[in-house]
Amino acid sequence: KDDNGDTALMKAVREGHSEVGNELKLRGVDVNTKNKNGESAHQLSLNWDLIAATTSNDVESARHLLQQGASFLGKNRFGDTGLHLSALHGHDDIVELFLDHGAPVNIRGGNQGTPLLLTIECGHLCTARILLNRGADLELCDSNGRTALMWAARVDYPDIVGELLVR
């Protein structure tokens, strides 16, 4: 185990190395051993699959994985959750799914980004509206001190700038 209590199997799962993970399981590695965060390799595997479903906009798989116990708080290796990734890609149905399951709308990810900051950076007006209507904070900044309005102005999305100014 490392300093966080992660096993070799957990490391393989986090990095998406399914063949290594399968080999370790075949050799009897316990999938239920927990790290210091209380996560098992099984839980990490569910979370990894949820991130993959989110990225590919597979709403049904994401819904099923959440029902199976995947955590909407699970993060990829860059520190972003499924909500961050669905906002980044403008996957509105998955954004709504995560929020309906209790994902915090202002959760911080890599570079201290929020789902709103990521969706604005990529110009997804509809997704921005969903997040704003669900309580996204316009005043939160990323690690560079940029707010949502600063991002919208920086990347030249006048429709989003207008939406933010009326809020």
Side-chain angles (χ1 to χ4, degrees), residues 37-83:
N37 296 328
E39 302 164 312
S40 67
H42 176 70
Q43 180 68 49
L44 291 172
S45 181
L46 285 173
N47 295 349
W48 181 265
D49 290 346
L50 181 60
I51 294 287
T54 298
T55 304
S56 63
N57 200 23
D58 186 347
V59 179
E60 289 311 311
S61 289
R63 181 176 287 114
H64 176 74
L65 287 160
L66 286 166
Q67 290 169 347
Q68 295 299 310
S71 173
F72 55 72
L73 297 175
K75 295 183 177 186
N76 67 11
R77 65 182 130 205
F78 304 110
D80 292 320
T81 66
L83 181 57

Side-chain angles (χ1 to χ4, degrees), residues 74-139:
K75 295 183 177 186
N76 67 11
R77 65 182 130 205
F78 304 110
D80 292 320
T81 66
L83 181 57
H84 288 99
L85 297 172
S86 56
L88 176 73
H89 295 290
H91 297 160
D92 298 341
D93 291 339
I94 294 185
V95 167
E96 299 253 24
L97 178 67
F98 279 116
L99 294 172
D100 289 347
H101 275 81
V105 71
N106 293 310
I107 190 168
R108 297 295 190 149
N111 295 322
Q112 291 299 302
T114 64
L116 180 64
L117 293 171
L118 291 175
T119 204
I120 287 173
E121 181 181 352
C122 294
H124 302 298
L125 177 60
C126 186
T127 309
R129 284 181 176 146
I130 292 168
L131 293 165
L132 289 165
N133 289 339
R134 300 291 285 268
D137 187 338
L138 289 171
E139 300 305 317

Side-chain angles (χ1 to χ4, degrees), residues 8-41:
L9 179 57
M10 291 174 185
K11 295 288 187 188
V13 168
R14 280 189 202 279
E15 296 299 322
H17 303 309
S18 58
E19 288 182 35
V20 171
N22 288 337
E23 183 66 25
L24 289 166
K25 286 187 268 184
L26 284 173
R27 298 200 181 251
V29 172
D30 185 1
V31 299
N32 295 311
T33 299
K34 294 187 178 183
N35 62 18
K36 289 182 180 178
N37 296 328
E39 302 164 312
S40 67

Side-chain angles (χ1 to χ4, degrees), residues 26 109 124 163 165 167:
L26 284 173
H124 302 298
E163 182 72 26
L165 289 173
R167 298 267 173 170

